[in-house]
Amino acid sequence: MTQPSLNGNMLIAQSGGPTVVINQSLIGAVLEAKKHASIKKIFGSLHGIAGILNEDFIDLKKESMKTLEDVAFTPSSALGTVRKKPTPKDCATIFKVLKKYNVRYFFYIGGNDTAETTHIINEEARAGGHDLQCFHIPKTIDNDLLENDHTPGFGSAAKFVACAFMGDNLDNRALPGVKINIVMGRDAGFLTAAAALARVYPDDGPHLIYLPEAAFNERSFIADVKRVYKKYGRCVIAVSEGISDKKGIAIAAKFSKEVDSHGNLQLSGSGGLGDYLAGLIKTKTTITRVRADTFGYLQRSFPGVYSERDAKEARTVAQRAVIESVKGKHSSGSIAIRRKAGKAYKVSYERVALRKVSKATRHVPASYINKAGNDVTKAFINYVTPIVGPLPKIGRFKGVPVKKIK
Amino acid sequence: MTQPSLNGNMLIAQSGGPTVVINQSLIGAVLEAKKHASIKKIFGSLHGIAGILNEDFIDLKKESMKTLEDVAFTPSSALGTVRKKPTPKDCATIFKVLKKYNVRYFFYIGGNDTAETTHIINEEARAGGHDLQCFHIPKTIDNDLLENDHTPGFGSAAKFVACAFMGDNLDNRALPGVKINIVMGRDAGFLTAAAALARVYPDDGPHLIYLPEAAFNERSFIADVKRVYKKYGRCVIAVSEGISDKKGIAIAAKFSKEVDSHGNLQLSGSGGLGDYLAGLIKTKTTITRVRADTFGYLQRSFPGVYSERDAKEARTVAQRAVIESVKGKHSSGSIAIRRKAGKAYKVSYERVALRKVSKATRHVPASYINKAGNDVTKAFINYVTPIVGPLPKIGRFKGVPVKKIK
């Protein structure tokens, strides 16, 4: 039986790394909230929980429809974001602030760390006897949230990565050599795996794909590269920034010691891993033209390149969170995207407990990785294709050879 | 007075680094050539002059209209490319091969090194008494060809760079810190300068732009970063891979010793320069969040992100080369894009002597660089805007602060 909606204000915030569609979620929640009389003011907290601690809010009801829609299609977190794990003292402060501003609806957009923070705030509110609807809205280009078939932000980042590999494969075909591209994804290899979508013709790269979920062995890597290079005279390689050896030690740990407040190793934004692997190939083979690029932040913030389905789902998932929140008291949760069985792509949105998506992360399942641990399977391609949607058309000459004149 | 067209076959090739629109030039030349009865067969040489030396040609008249148009919109060199400076022995061989295949029309798409090669082949043909129309079709993302207002390939690469900075500026605004992005352009800073187009709002980055044309001084750099960071609490920086000190020594020379066959230092594909500058900021300031990305090959091969004007001009310039070539005997040259004076953007295409575009390169003029050497001027913005064309719309909240409750 549903209970009457709480009357009070709403606070929404964004956390963790930006994505190209995270503002779709923000705007989706705001537009839905405006439909419900029980939701009074709509506050946007600047830079996640940092904005709550500093009482740094903006009034989202004062934004025009045009601005809201423009922001929805703008990459990165329009409210600003934060990488901050709240201390117990922070949580007590947050709770006090929410109470002071009569916040009854709290929405926090982010990954599993964000779900954890939402969970802590929810527990704090319960303990303090303050009726508060606490919802986590999923977002991560890493696609590593439990309970979800996939997460908003992933499809668009995967499209960027697939396009990048399409172009880079053509570049490598035009000017042969070995090319290594380092892709984001600390623990989960979904984004790196999406590079496989770049393949249009049978000889297209990426010819090798290395994920954090398959132990990386330098000797096998060199053997793989030699084999591909012998076959095609070139080799394009997708490498996750998070690849680790069989002991689980990140290869990139050799180059980076910086950690964020969640204890995560800082891996992006350095050419270290790519240069290291390129050096390895130059040392262990006779191949001379070896290059490495690290895609970096472009993967999560490039304007104009996004999956339409991802943008739509990012908006819907937030609308659902608001709809769930106004259903009654003592409600909290995260909205998960579930894929329905059957040939046609169809999803449903379900409320799941916050603790189910916080803390632990999801990994690329074994069925998506080939036996040799250097590629993805057809099952992965089937999984990821509808999430990413159509890709640019790649033309190629039939290439009828001209008969040589003796 | 025009002379009758030569009767014979045509050979076309691509050279140097790929661009997103270099195939527009290739297809533009092929489609134009098909209109002229004096041009018999149309050979595509695989991998530039390497394909001529190996007599490795494909028959471009056997490609369907659909394939030709698909290839035109596909990034990178569809015929393959090469970074090879021909030796005098190579030139003699090339001349013999062209003669053997009754090639009377030779088109070579590329940068100034390519114009030089075209010039050498032309001289060889004259010396050997073989009537040959030798045309260079300009292409370079570096925009560094003399005689040209701008070059095909630049506008699209500039659009990619501008979009990348738009997204990265939003990323940096959401999660403040210092962000350095290394942009391609060995000697000319045009592509790095195009990052300035990313600015939509007054506080938008890139806040600092460093080009090879302005001597890079580490002390001024640190002072610049400190000043911007103090003002905005963040700083986005565009750095050309080719920045050099006042003695003209490339900063990146500290990390790379690899040179290509034209004697050019290999600068791309390494995080060295970005990491070095990031390290400098971390050492010389109290700023802790400092990141660096190197855009790498994505700048020249990303499918779907291109300037429509650039694509059109890349096609037109090649059509003009063919039209010039069928005008008469003993003709050679490069087709330059000239901008007409006046408010509205308008260009003309003119035949210029090969030696005028070969060897030397064009640099960003002093009038496009600010006095401090850390930004571009309004004159540059006026110059580059019509070449790049419309950019994605960036929305931003008005951001009415919520009154703090005491």
Side-chain angles (χ1 to χ4, degrees):
Chain A
M1 215 181 72
T2 57
Q3 302 190 37
S5 298
L6 279 166
N7 277 299
N9 300 326
M10 159 175 160
L11 183 77
I12 187 162
Q14 295 171 309
S15 188
T19 82
V20 167
V21 299
I22 189 171
N23 291 332
Q24 289 282 358
S25 293
L26 172 62
I27 302 308
V30 170
L31 294 180
E32 182 61 40
K34 285 172 111 175
K35 296 181 193 163
H36 301 275
S38 54
I39 299 178
K40 308 302 176 193
K41 291 180 178 168
I42 304 176
F43 303 139
S45 173
L46 300 180
H47 300 286
I49 54 165
I52 309 181
L53 292 170
N54 302 325
E55 301 176 37
D56 219 353
F57 307 142
I58 61 169
D59 187 339
L60 292 172
K61 277 205 170 166
K62 298 224 164 118
E63 302 292 340
S64 70
M65 245 339 253
K66 193 189 164 299
T67 298
L68 293 175
E69 282 300 339
D70 285 349
V71 167
F73 285 91
T74 298
S76 187
S77 316
L79 292 173
T81 184
V82 70
R83 287 197 184 278
K84 188 184 163 61
K85 190 177 181 139
T87 62
K89 203 190 144 209
D90 288 338
C91 290
T93 308
I94 288 167
F95 169 62
K96 271 186 221 160
V97 173
L98 296 181
K99 215 170 159 180
K100 186 161 78 169
Y101 285 82
N102 192 29
V103 172
R104 298 292 174 175
Y105 296 89
F106 174 59
F107 300 95
Y108 207 9
I109 310 170
N112 67 308
D113 289 333
T114 308
E116 194 188 343
T117 301
T118 313
H119 179 62
I120 295 167
I121 293 171
N122 183 52
E123 295 289 301
E124 194 77 19
R126 275 167 186 262
H130 178 69
D131 284 337
L132 180 71
Q133 302 284 334
C134 261
F135 277 81
H136 167 250
I137 297 166
K139 170 265 14 164
T140 166
I141 63 167
D142 291 343
N143 199 37
D144 64 352
L145 293 191
L146 292 174
E147 297 286 325
N148 287 270
D149 176 75
H150 59 282
T151 57
F154 168 64
S156 296
K159 182 171 178 175
F160 182 91
V161 167
C163 287
F165 270 90
M166 279 180 145
D168 209 47
N169 170 67
L170 292 163
D171 204 306
N172 183 260
R173 192 166 178 263
L175 204 60
V178 173
K179 180 69 193 300
I180 300 162
N181 290 319
I182 309 295
V183 182
M184 275 183 169
R186 192 183 292 124
D187 303 307
F190 289 103
L191 195 56
T192 307
L197 291 178
R199 297 169 185 155
V200 178
Y201 299 94
D203 61 328
D204 277 344
H207 307 98
L208 298 167
I209 299 175
Y210 300 99
L211 311 180
E213 288 85 355
F216 186 79
N217 176 288
E218 292 187 358
R219 240 186 247 185
S220 315
F221 170 66
I222 294 298
D224 288 345
V225 172
K226 279 184 176 170
R227 180 179 44 77
V228 171
Y229 194 82
K230 201 180 164 188
K231 187 170 179 186
Y232 298 117
R234 66 187 189 94
C235 184
V236 177
I237 312 169
V239 177
S240 164
E241 61 179 1
I243 52 163
S244 305
D245 63 20
K246 65 180 177 187
K247 287 178 188 163
I249 298 164
I251 309 298
K254 299 179 186 185
F255 320 104
S256 176
K257 298 286 170 214
E258 198 178 334
V259 291
D260 68 16
S261 75
H262 291 279
N264 300 318
L265 192 68
Q266 174 59 37
L267 300 179
S268 299
S270 163
L273 180 59
D275 287 349
Y276 174 74
L277 296 175
L280 212 61
I281 295 169
K282 283 183 191 172
T283 316
K284 307 276 184 186
T285 75
T286 56
I287 305 164
T288 50
R289 190 171 186 272
V290 186
R291 299 282 183 271
D293 277 333
T294 302
F295 286 168
Y297 285 9
L298 300 189
Q299 296 163 86
R300 68 186 196 190
S301 61
F302 199 89
V305 177
Y306 63 92
S307 151
E308 283 190 33
R309 180 164 272 154
D310 185 32
K312 207 177 141 223
E313 289 180 351
R315 193 179 279 224
T316 308
V317 83
Q319 289 169 331
R320 294 302 172 98
V322 174
I323 291 166
E324 281 298 318
S325 75
V326 294
K327 277 187 181 169
K329 274 188 193 181
H330 300 305
S331 178
S332 72
S334 177
I335 306 299
I337 301 180
R338 299 270 167 82
R339 196 185 306 204
K340 291 183 175 172
K343 261 200 159 176
Y345 178 87
K346 220 173 172 185
V347 295
S348 64
Y349 300 87
E350 287 175 35
R351 183 165 69 88
V352 295
L354 285 169
R355 66 182 183 280
K356 282 193 174 177
V357 289
S358 66
K359 286 184 182 171
T361 55
R362 179 172 163 240
H363 295 282
V364 177
S367 61
Y368 288 174
I369 306 171
N370 74 340
K371 249 190 172 168
N374 59 13
D375 204 346
V376 298
T377 60
K378 186 83 182 74
F380 174 75
I381 299 291
N382 293 341
Y383 160 77
V384 79
T385 299
I387 300 169
V388 172
L391 291 167
K393 191 167 195 176
I394 302 296
R396 184 189 276 200
F397 289 134
K398 194 166 56 172
V400 179
V402 173
K403 214 187 151 189
K404 287 189 188 188
I405 299 174
K406 289 270 164 85
Chain B
M1 215 181 75
T2 57
Q3 304 191 37
S5 298
L6 281 167
N7 277 299
N9 300 326
M10 159 175 160
L11 183 76
I12 188 162
Q14 296 171 308
S15 189
T19 83
V20 167
V21 300
I22 189 170
N23 291 331
Q24 290 282 359
S25 294
L26 173 63
I27 301 309
V30 170
L31 293 180
E32 183 61 38
K34 285 171 110 175
K35 296 181 192 163
H36 300 275
S38 54
I39 299 178
K40 308 301 176 194
K41 289 178 179 171
I42 304 174
F43 303 139
S45 173
L46 300 181
H47 299 286
I49 53 165
I52 309 181
L53 293 169
N54 303 325
E55 302 176 35
D56 219 353
F57 306 141
I58 61 169
D59 186 340
L60 291 173
K61 276 207 169 163
K62 297 224 165 116
E63 302 293 340
S64 70
M65 250 331 260
K66 194 191 164 296
T67 298
L68 293 175
E69 284 298 340
D70 285 350
V71 168
F73 286 91
T74 298
S76 187
S77 317
L79 292 173
T81 184
V82 71
R83 285 198 185 278
K84 186 182 164 64
K85 190 179 182 137
T87 63
K89 206 190 142 207
D90 288 340
C91 290
T93 310
I94 288 167
F95 169 63
K96 272 187 220 157
V97 173
L98 295 180
K99 217 171 159 180
K100 186 161 77 168
Y101 285 83
N102 192 29
V103 172
R104 299 290 175 175
Y105 297 89
F106 175 58
F107 300 96
Y108 207 9
I109 311 168
N112 68 308
D113 289 333
T114 308
E116 195 187 343
T117 302
T118 313
H119 179 61
I120 295 168
I121 292 172
N122 182 53
E123 294 289 302
E124 194 77 21
R126 276 167 183 262
H130 178 67
D131 284 336
L132 181 69
Q133 301 285 333
C134 261
F135 277 80
H136 167 250
I137 298 166
K139 166 261 26 159
T140 167
I141 63 166
D142 292 343
N143 198 37
D144 63 353
L145 293 191
L146 291 175
E147 298 287 324
N148 287 271
D149 176 76
H150 59 280
T151 55
F154 168 65
S156 296
K159 182 172 177 175
F160 183 91
V161 167
C163 287
F165 271 90
M166 278 181 146
D168 209 46
N169 169 67
L170 292 164
D171 203 305
N172 184 260
R173 190 167 179 262
L175 205 59
V178 172
K179 180 69 194 298
I180 300 161
N181 291 319
I182 309 294
V183 181
M184 275 184 170
R186 192 184 292 126
D187 304 307
F190 290 102
L191 195 56
T192 307
L197 290 178
R199 296 169 185 156
V200 178
Y201 299 94
D203 60 328
D204 276 345
H207 306 98
L208 298 167
I209 300 176
Y210 299 99
L211 311 181
E213 288 84 355
F216 186 79
N217 175 287
E218 292 187 357
R219 238 184 247 185
S220 315
F221 170 66
I222 293 298
D224 288 346
V225 173
K226 277 183 177 171
R227 181 179 43 80
V228 171
Y229 194 82
K230 199 179 164 190
K231 187 171 180 185
Y232 298 118
R234 65 190 191 92
C235 184
V236 176
I237 311 168
V239 178
S240 164
E241 62 179 0
I243 53 163
S244 305
D245 63 21
K246 64 180 176 187
K247 288 178 188 163
I249 298 164
I251 309 297
K254 300 180 187 186
F255 322 104
S256 175
K257 298 287 170 211
E258 199 177 333
V259 292
D260 68 15
S261 75
H262 291 276
N264 300 318
L265 191 70
Q266 173 60 40
L267 300 178
S268 300
S270 162
L273 180 58
D275 287 351
Y276 174 74
L277 296 176
L280 213 60
I281 296 168
K282 283 184 192 172
T283 315
K284 307 274 184 186
T285 76
T286 55
I287 306 165
T288 50
R289 189 170 186 271
V290 186
R291 300 280 182 272
D293 277 332
T294 302
F295 287 168
Y297 285 8
L298 300 190
Q299 295 163 89
R300 68 187 197 191
S301 61
F302 199 88
V305 176
Y306 63 92
S307 151
E308 283 189 33
R309 179 164 273 154
D310 185 33
K312 207 179 143 224
E313 289 179 350
R315 191 179 281 223
T316 308
V317 84
Q319 288 170 335
R320 295 300 175 98
V322 175
I323 290 166
E324 281 298 318
S325 74
V326 294
K327 279 189 183 168
K329 275 188 193 180
H330 301 305
S331 180
S332 72
S334 177
I335 306 300
I337 301 180
R338 299 271 167 81
R339 195 185 306 204
K340 292 185 175 169
K343 259 200 161 178
Y345 178 87
K346 220 171 171 187
V347 295
S348 64
Y349 301 87
E350 287 174 35
R351 183 164 69 90
V352 296
L354 285 169
R355 64 180 184 283
K356 283 196 174 175
V357 290
S358 65
K359 287 184 182 168
T361 55
R362 178 173 163 242
H363 296 281
V364 177
S367 61
Y368 289 175
I369 306 172
N370 73 341
K371 250 190 171 170
N374 59 13
D375 204 346
V376 298
T377 60
K378 186 82 181 73
F380 174 75
I381 300 291
N382 293 340
Y383 160 77
V384 79
T385 300
I387 301 169
V388 173
L391 292 167
K393 191 168 194 174
I394 302 297
R396 183 189 275 200
F397 289 135
K398 190 166 54 173
V400 179
V402 172
K403 215 187 149 186
K404 288 190 188 186
I405 299 174
K406 290 272 163 87

